[in-house]
Amino acid sequence: MYSLPKLPYSYDAFVQIIDARTMEIHYTKHHQAYCDKLNAALEQYPELKERDLTNLLSNLSSLPEGIRMAVRNNGGGHYNHTFFWGTLGVDCVDHPSGKLADRINETFGDFESFKKAFHDTGLARFGSGWVWLVKNNEGELSVISTPNQDSPCMENLGVPLLGLDLWEHAYYLHYQNRRTDYINAWWGIVNWFVVEERYNK
Ligand code: MN
């Protein structure tokens, strides 16, 4: 059975950037629903419970057709949201350092140019989806976007290091249609220490 990760912060931890009501609804309603529906889809298939979620998402075509879309949407939703909560932090430094910082500078020119690429890719996502910073097997970086609750591992798009939820449920109460303001503000709660750890793995 999949379950929600315990959050290491309160719903009002980021009120300057994400209001407490949005945090609470996002976690207790949206994420919970993905998790519940994923569990429901897998209920009849005990053999699939042996495989971890990344394995299921990376091999969707190996799943019974009747649950493939449910696992894609809800397994992706559970994976993406667990990842998202784990990327946020309070009182974090506002930029990466070490090997990740070097690679960002090599790839994008500098940190500000990376942020712009990420921002522009997020704005260009029509409708709901995610924007990601991913690395490939050689440690090379790229910024990509996925629709709906698709995850980078589904299409072998790389290992996610950083991901931003672009669904309106993630920001609408406070930002309404202003996705650009939401993205700009969100940089302020990225836990770069976690992102660096993912890169260095
Ligand atoms: Mn969401």
Side-chain angles (χ1 to χ4, degrees):
M1 288 282 278
Y2 290 96
S3 58
L4 265 58
K6 197 172 158 21
L7 298 183
Y9 38 71
S10 58
Y11 297 135
D12 63 1
F14 313 118
V15 281
Q16 306 300 325
I17 289 160
I18 302 178
D19 62 281
R21 185 87 177 117
T22 295
M23 285 292 292
E24 183 175 2
I25 295 171
H26 201 173
Y27 178 79
T28 64
K29 306 290 186 198
H30 293 279
H31 188 172
Q32 187 69 57
Y34 295 126
C35 195
D36 291 346
K37 288 177 187 168
L38 172 64
N39 286 327
L42 296 176
E43 205 166 21
Q44 305 303 319
Y45 300 92
E47 70 277 14
L48 296 180
K49 293 177 187 162
E50 319 273 306
R51 293 162 56 181
D52 68 26
L53 186 54
T54 311
N55 180 294
L56 297 179
L57 298 178
S58 308
N59 300 283
L60 286 170
S61 60
S62 72
L63 303 181
E65 216 177 332
I67 63 164
R68 203 174 293 161
M69 193 49 90
V71 172
R72 179 178 200 144
N73 290 336
N74 299 293
H78 179 52
Y79 177 93
N80 292 346
H81 286 83
T82 300
F83 184 91
F84 183 67
W85 306 128
T87 307
L88 307 183
V90 196
D91 294 332
C92 298
V93 294
D94 64 359
H95 60 277
S97 51
K99 280 193 281 182
L100 175 60
D102 293 344
R103 191 48 83 97
I104 284 176
N105 293 337
E106 262 172 54
T107 309
F108 300 95
D110 55 36
F111 183 56
E112 286 308 311
S113 303
F114 154 69
K115 281 169 74 177
K116 184 174 183 333
F118 192 95
H119 192 116
D120 291 348
T121 303
L123 280 186
R125 161 58 53 201
F126 181 76
S128 297
W130 291 72
V131 55
W132 307 91
L133 174 67
V134 298
K135 70 164 181 179
N136 68 12
N137 289 336
E138 280 73 53
E140 293 166 341
L141 300 176
S142 47
V143 169
I144 61 163
S145 174
T146 55
N148 306 313
Q149 292 298 350
D150 283 4
S151 215
C153 64
M154 285 179 191
E155 313 277 347
N156 274 319
L157 297 172
V159 176
L161 306 177
L162 180 67
L164 176 60
D165 189 343
L166 300 170
W167 285 57
E168 285 185 342
H169 68 224
Y171 62 89
Y172 203 83
L173 287 183
H174 183 71
Y175 295 95
Q176 291 85 47
N177 61 320
R178 303 187 309 277
R179 186 186 281 183
T180 193
D181 292 350
Y182 160 67
I183 300 176
N184 274 332
W186 174 77
W187 292 114
I189 51 173
V190 171
N191 185 341
W192 285 104
F193 182 69
V194 167
V195 183
E196 279 174 49
E197 274 188 337
R198 290 172 180 152
Y199 181 76
N200 293 334
K201 243 188 222 167

